[in-house]
Amino acid sequence: MARHGFSCGIMAVALVLSLVYSSLVVPSSAELQKLEHSIKDDGSLSLLVVGDWGRKGAYNQTHVAAQMGKIGKELNIDFVVSTGDNFYENGLTGITDEAFEDSFTNIYTAESLQKQWYSVLGNHDYRGDVLAQLSPVLQGVDSRWLCLRSFDLDSALEASRAAWKVVVGHHTIRSVSIHGDTKELHASLLPVLKAHGVDLYVNGHDHCLEHISSDDSPIQYLTSGGGSKSWRGVFNPSSDKLRFFYDGQGFMSLQLTKTAADVVFYDAFGSVLHRWRVTKELHSSI
C-alpha cells in the first residue's frame, strides 16, 4: 500500500516534518525510528498545531481544546503537533507530576484528539524536569504523548526527498508580537532552512496566531501559540509581509497532499480566522 508520511528530526529547538511517500521517521542519536501513517482516500494527511497550552484548563485552554476536537473530527486528523511550553509555569517536577494529566490527558479528551501528539520543548518546559517530558514513563500514562530530543536537523533535511518540508520549533524566527524575531535562530537555524528548501517554519512562544511571508525566501512563518493565555494589544510590525495576526487564543490546522498545503487558523470558538494555500509541481523521486 502506498503511504504518505513525515520524516522527522526532533531537536531541543525543532521538529522536522517532511511529506514523503514512505513513513514517519524520527531520528535519534543512534538510528532512525520509523512510524507510519496511512494516507487517506484522497491522498492527504491532516494535523492540528497548538502551543503554549499547559495551564490545567485555565485561560480558555478547555475552550480551545473543545474546538480542536470538533475541527479534528471534521478533518479526520492523523496527529497533533505541540509547539512547546507544554506545562506552565515551570514544566514538570517529575514523571509523577499530576500536571501532566491535569493539563494534557484530562483536557484533550475529544475522540478526534486521541491520536499521536508530537511535542517540542519550550523555555517554560526547561524550567522544570525536562527528562520527565522525554521519559517513556509518560507514554505509559498517556500513549498519545511523544517528546524526543536529538541534534541532527541538518542531516535529516539533507537526506529528505520530501515534497513538503516543515520545521516545527518553539521559538519564533519572525514575529510581530512581544518576543519578536529571535536573533540566535536567524544566525544558526534560518540558513539551514533556506539551504534545504524548507517550506514552513511553525512555532509557538508568542501567545498569538500569525502568518508571515519571508521577504527573501519562500519560507512561511506560522505561529500557533494561542493554546491558553494570550497577550492582547502587542503588535510590532516588521519588514516581512504580514498576512495574518490575531492576538488571541486559538490553534492551526495543516492539510498536505502531494501538491498542495492548506493552512487554517481558528479562534477559541472554532471560527476560521485565516486561510492560506500554496501549491507546487510534483517532481518524481527515486
Side-chain angles (χ1 to χ4, degrees):
M1 179 185 298
R3 293 178 183 271
H4 284 290
F6 292 84
S7 72
C8 304
I10 301 180
M11 303 173 56
V13 294
L15 163 71
V16 183
L17 305 175
S18 303
L19 186 63
V20 294
Y21 312 122
S22 56
S23 57
L24 177 71
V25 183
V26 182
S28 67
S29 58
E31 60 183 11
L32 298 180
Q33 177 185 359
K34 296 185 178 181
L35 307 172
E36 293 188 346
H37 288 285
S38 298
I39 63 172
K40 297 183 178 68
D41 292 340
D42 63 0
S44 68
L45 278 173
S46 302
L47 59 140
L48 298 182
V49 182
V50 66
D52 304 82
W53 43 266
R55 297 183 185 272
K56 301 180 181 179
Y59 295 98
N60 288 334
Q61 185 191 0
T62 53
H63 294 290
V64 175
Q67 297 306 320
M68 287 176 61
K70 293 178 181 179
I71 300 301
K73 182 178 181 180
E74 290 179 14
L75 300 181
N76 187 22
I77 60 168
D78 298 284
F79 54 88
V80 180
V81 168
S82 168
T83 58
D85 277 0
N86 307 313
F87 303 100
Y88 284 96
E89 290 283 334
N90 300 307
L92 295 179
T93 60
I95 58 175
T96 60
D97 191 336
E98 294 180 355
F100 178 75
E101 292 179 272
D102 291 342
S103 290
F104 177 61
T105 301
N106 299 337
I107 301 297
Y108 302 100
T109 57
E111 182 178 356
S112 68
L113 303 181
Q114 306 308 302
K115 306 291 178 66
Q116 191 75 68
W117 282 57
Y118 299 100
S119 300
V120 299
L121 297 166
N123 52 294
H124 281 269
D125 299 311
Y126 275 97
R127 294 180 181 181
D129 185 351
V130 171
L131 294 181
Q133 291 197 49
L134 301 174
S135 173
V137 172
L138 291 188
Q139 296 174 40
V141 178
D142 192 321
S143 61
R144 296 177 292 172
W145 184 256
L146 182 62
C147 186
L148 302 177
R149 179 172 60 181
S150 63
F151 301 91
D152 54 2
L153 175 65
D154 188 76
S155 60
L157 288 171
E158 176 69 29
S160 175
R161 294 186 176 92
W164 298 100
K165 295 181 181 180
V166 182
V167 174
V168 181
H170 177 66
H171 287 79
T172 59
I173 291 182
R174 302 284 193 193
S175 174
V176 298
S177 192
I178 191 169
H179 288 303
D181 297 354
T182 304
K183 294 181 180 179
E184 293 84 353
L185 294 187
H186 278 234
S188 62
L189 180 60
L190 188 54
V192 176
L193 305 189
K194 290 180 177 179
H196 297 297
V198 168
D199 299 284
L200 309 175
Y201 178 73
V202 183
N203 61 270
H205 199 40
D206 268 334
H207 298 185
C208 60
L209 306 175
E210 299 179 82
H211 175 194
I212 298 173
S213 291
S214 174
D215 62 356
D216 60 1
S217 79
I219 299 173
Q220 305 295 314
Y221 303 102
L222 304 169
T223 296
S224 184
S228 57
K229 187 177 183 180
S230 62
W231 293 323
R232 293 286 189 179
V234 178
F235 176 75
N236 300 299
S238 68
S239 61
D240 292 300
K241 181 178 180 179
L242 179 64
R243 293 179 178 269
F244 166 71
F245 173 72
Y246 177 66
D247 57 347
Q249 294 130 341
F251 59 100
M252 187 188 98
S253 69
L254 175 61
Q255 293 181 282
L256 294 168
T257 67
K258 293 179 180 179
T259 57
D262 288 279
V263 174
V264 182
F265 285 94
Y266 310 84
D267 66 14
F269 302 99
S271 300
V272 173
L273 300 175
H274 175 66
R275 293 182 183 271
W276 180 78
R277 160 174 273 222
V278 63
T279 60
K280 62 171 64 176
E281 293 183 3
L282 178 64
H283 300 285
S284 61
S285 59
I286 299 176

